[in-house]
Amino acid sequence: LTLPIAVDAMGGDFAPKEIIAGARRAVDELGLSVILVGVPELMGDPLGLDVVACSEVIAMDDDPGASVRKKKDSSLVRAAELVRDGKASAMVSAGNTGATMASALLRMGRLPGVVRPCIVTPIPNPGRTPVVLVDAGANAECTPEMLVQFAQMGSTFVATRYGVGSPKVGLLSIGEERTKGTPLVKATHELLDGMSTLDFVGNVEGRDIVPSPVDVIVTDGFTGNVALKTLEGAFKFVFSTILEVIGTNDDTKAAGDVLLEYLLPFASRLTPESQGGAMLLGVNGICVISHGSSNATATMNAIRVAAEASDEQIVAKLAATIRPDQVA
Amino acid sequence: LTLPIAVDAMGGDFAPKEIIAGARRAVDELGLSVILVGVPELMGDPLGLDVVACSEVIAMDDDPGASVRKKKDSSLVRAAELVRDGKASAMVSAGNTGATMASALLRMGRLPGVVRPCIVTPIPNPGRTPVVLVDAGANAECTPEMLVQFAQMGSTFVATRYGVGSPKVGLLSIGEERTKGTPLVKATHELLDGMSTLDFVGNVEGRDIVPSPVDVIVTDGFTGNVALKTLEGAFKFVFSTILEVIGTNDDTKAAGDVLLEYLLPFASRLTPESQGGAMLLGVNGICVISHGSSNATATMNAIRVAAEASDEQIVAKLAATIRPDQVA
């Protein structure tokens, strides 16, 4: 018996409509089992999907900690409880990222030994499996010990999800030399260098994110979030400029018709929609964090990722990665 | 009588040949006055330019502090001394960035009241004057007071160089709310918010770098360097992919011929070569830091920037920006 994926119908810029449409497609196109969690009066047509009704919604700009404490009957909190109570195999939300993390952390709890959960975000890496950026934004302030755990969990994620045998781990800094960077980066470099269980290749720089020579890029959540959004902004900007150039005149439009056939698959791989969301690692359950701009396709992909991660028993593998007795 | 620009002939991936060729073009095409600083036996043909001879070279991977202390007759140190001694109006180097900063700092000295010099890097901002990122890599570790000075110097740079009346200043963070980010960012937000001499618009995110709604983006040198290199990597990757797609077959090549005419000017504006280099702000003289990959065109542009900044009396304007009695 496979447990369903709990999908927060209320979170995201295009919720509930695109979320529900994506959940429906996950059932129809991928054969997955889904429960929507939402406020019936606000949800519109649930398209025949099972619904767990709740009465509250955490808004995109609500304070994460306070909203999770106060809105105990919100879709986010209820979705996390379904996972905790063994009624769902995973939760998926495109809503308030901070509140999603707080719901998962407070309701599912941390895995033993994990100092702080982190967000892992896959980035397309042409010709290779995706590179993951970890932490992509959960923790603005980090210690070297936290970054070591991010490296461990990121490695396990890549090994589990993409079948990479010995994932190469790079530490994001501002030069290859171990003397470069902040005190946090230098101390983390020393710790990672001494670990026999990780394939640590040393520092990488911003230009090593796309394309990347490594499988896991470790950084604090502040730098990770800035880098990720810089990347998204750059891609979005270049693609919109290309479309503008193509629209210049009839000749460029005709040329665009020829090239777009080849460029669009490439562009779509680089958009957040295709990635199916990031994941919170280190909590005792699966929590997929979709992009706030998720449409139906992105939602379907996020549900697919959640189902695959559940089948792959990623939580048990992460638990085995972090040994509580080894925490510094 | 206009003083010449001192150009370090020995620094950069394509030194000395491309550097000297660029210096020659600055004289021939822009009518500027230039002195090359270099080791005659290693320089090849100086193309008829004036040369200040020295005997040492600081390598790209030399330790910045140690090399500047030891190699007192290096091209970098000598170039900085020409500015200090009033024999050159500015120095330009595509060499070891850390050693360039150290040479400028140790030989020219800081402007009164400046806690730490910073690197300002202009980024093309379509439809507007460039946005500048400050600090782009000089200081991995910063205090809120340093970031406030970066904001002040960045504003003066934009006002002076691009004629922007009241430059909009954004603080790089991971959310718009003042509660988002590291303790450094939050404390800096409070300080900037209370300043009547700056047009501080609040936090900006990675996706606000290109295109940018502001004129100055303030950040620590670690985050700034990561963001800048991420951006460079993303643009380089997308453009190389477009060229690859265009090369697919005869049809795509023909379409490429039509579109490249429009795309290339856009692409070239986004490459480091066209920007003519970053500048070190807060030292008592002009120091232009060219990209390590500078070719002759980039070198010529860097010399042009140095000459313009000198004409605009940027050092005097920066000195007036930082009032020693106001330093926290």
Side-chain angles (χ1 to χ4, degrees), chain A residues 67-119:
Chain A
S67 60
V68 169
R69 277 193 304 276
K70 283 182 201 159
K71 297 184 176 176
K72 292 190 200 306
D73 196 32
S74 62
S75 55
L76 267 176
V77 172
R78 292 298 180 207
E81 287 174 352
L82 290 171
V83 177
R84 177 194 68 189
D85 298 341
K87 292 178 182 162
S89 60
M91 68 181 280
V92 171
S93 179
N96 183 321
T97 301
T100 304
M101 294 191 295
S103 299
L105 180 59
L106 295 173
R107 290 303 186 266
M108 302 177 190
R110 277 175 299 171
L111 290 174
V114 168
V115 179
R116 296 283 275 284
C118 58
I119 295 176

Side-chain angles (χ1 to χ4, degrees), chain A:
Chain A
L1 186 77
T2 307
L3 292 170
I5 311 287
V7 176
D8 169 19
M10 313 310 293
D13 301 338
F14 304 114
K17 200 168 177 200
E18 290 286 317
I19 306 297
I20 296 172
R24 184 71 244 176
R25 285 179 56 192
V27 174
D28 296 342
E29 298 175 27
L30 307 176
L32 298 174
S33 173
V34 167
I35 310 181
L36 296 174
V37 187
V39 182
E41 309 84 76
L42 302 175
M43 277 173 68
D45 183 357
L47 304 178
L49 297 169
D50 290 338
V51 174
V52 168
C54 63
S55 62
E56 290 174 298
V57 175
I58 293 176
M60 296 300 263
D61 56 355
D62 275 356
D63 178 75
S67 60
V68 169
R69 277 193 304 276
K70 283 182 201 159
K71 297 184 176 176
K72 292 190 200 306
D73 196 32
S74 62
S75 55
L76 267 176
V77 172
R78 292 298 180 207
E81 287 174 352
L82 290 171
V83 177
R84 177 194 68 189
D85 298 341
K87 292 178 182 162
S89 60
M91 68 181 280
V92 171
S93 179
N96 183 321
T97 301
T100 304
M101 294 191 295
S103 299
L105 180 59
L106 295 173
R107 290 303 186 266
M108 302 177 190
R110 277 175 299 171
L111 290 174
V114 168
V115 179
R116 296 283 275 284
C118 58
I119 295 176
V120 64
T121 297
I123 300 169
N125 199 11
R128 295 177 62 132
T129 53
V131 54
V132 301
L133 189 69
V134 54
D135 177 10
N139 307 282
E141 285 178 82
C142 293
T143 63
E145 291 71 26
M146 284 165 65
L147 264 63
V148 167
Q149 290 197 339
F150 300 166
Q152 294 175 302
M153 292 194 284
S155 277
T156 299
F157 179 91
V158 165
T160 306
R161 296 248 51 224
Y162 309 131
V164 175
S166 181
K168 288 188 194 309
V169 176
L171 176 65
L172 190 57
S173 187
I174 58 174
E176 286 179 15
E177 306 85 347
R178 63 167 64 218
T179 55
K180 288 285 178 76
T182 58
L184 170 66
V185 168
K186 288 185 256 190
T188 304
H189 190 114
E190 292 309 311
L191 291 178
L192 289 174
D193 219 18
M195 292 182 68
S196 57
T197 52
L198 283 179
D199 186 8
F200 177 56
V201 301
N203 290 352
V204 295
E205 298 187 63
R207 63 170 73 97
D208 300 316
I209 302 178
V210 179
S212 188
V214 297
D215 302 298
V216 178
I217 296 178
V218 178
T219 187
D220 65 272
F222 183 84
T223 309
N225 189 274
V226 167
L228 195 65
K229 286 179 178 164
T230 300
L231 204 59
E232 278 184 25
F235 285 145
K236 194 173 165 188
F237 169 69
V238 175
F239 292 135
S240 72
T241 304
I242 292 173
L243 292 178
E244 211 172 284
V245 163
I246 285 174
T248 310
N249 57 42
D250 287 347
D251 287 348
T252 54
K253 282 179 194 161
D257 285 342
V258 174
L259 286 183
L260 280 180
E261 181 191 340
Y262 299 87
L263 277 177
L264 283 181
F266 161 73
S268 76
R269 271 203 314 276
L270 292 177
T271 55
E273 282 73 17
S274 71
Q275 292 308 300
M279 199 178 288
L280 186 66
L281 302 183
V283 290
N284 191 16
I286 295 170
C287 174
V288 171
I289 299 170
S290 291
H291 203 277
S293 67
S294 289
N295 58 16
T297 302
T299 301
M300 177 178 69
N301 282 327
I303 295 170
R304 177 181 54 73
V305 166
E308 288 172 358
S310 171
D311 289 345
E312 293 156 0
Q313 303 196 290
I314 196 154
V315 175
K317 287 174 183 161
L318 289 166
T321 300
I322 305 293
R323 289 192 286 177
D325 56 312
Q326 289 193 338
V327 176

Side-chain angles (χ1 to χ4, degrees), chain B residues 156-265:
Chain B
T156 298
F157 179 91
V158 165
T160 305
R161 297 248 49 226
Y162 310 131
V164 176
S166 180
K168 288 186 193 307
V169 176
L171 177 64
L172 189 57
S173 188
I174 57 174
E176 286 179 17
E177 307 85 346
R178 63 169 63 218
T179 56
K180 286 285 177 77
T182 59
L184 170 66
V185 169
K186 287 184 257 190
T188 304
H189 190 114
E190 292 309 310
L191 291 178
L192 289 174
D193 219 18
M195 292 182 66
S196 58
T197 53
L198 284 178
D199 186 8
F200 177 56
V201 301
N203 291 352
V204 294
E205 298 187 64
R207 64 170 72 99
D208 299 316
I209 301 178
V210 179
S212 188
V214 297
D215 302 299
V216 178
I217 296 179
V218 177
T219 187
D220 64 274
F222 183 84
T223 309
N225 190 274
V226 167
L228 195 64
K229 287 181 178 162
T230 300
L231 204 59
E232 278 185 25
F235 286 145
K236 195 173 164 189
F237 171 68
V238 175
F239 292 135
S240 71
T241 303
I242 292 172
L243 292 178
E244 211 172 282
V245 162
I246 285 174
T248 310
N249 57 43
D250 287 348
D251 288 348
T252 55
K253 282 177 195 163
D257 285 342
V258 175
L259 286 184
L260 280 181
E261 182 191 339
Y262 299 88
L263 276 178
L264 283 182

Side-chain angles (χ1 to χ4, degrees), chain B residues 302-326:
Chain B
I303 295 168
R304 177 181 52 73
V305 167
E308 288 172 358
S310 172
D311 288 346
E312 293 156 0
Q313 303 196 292
I314 196 153
V315 175
K317 287 175 184 161
L318 289 166
T321 301
I322 305 292
R323 288 193 286 176
D325 55 311
Q326 288 194 338

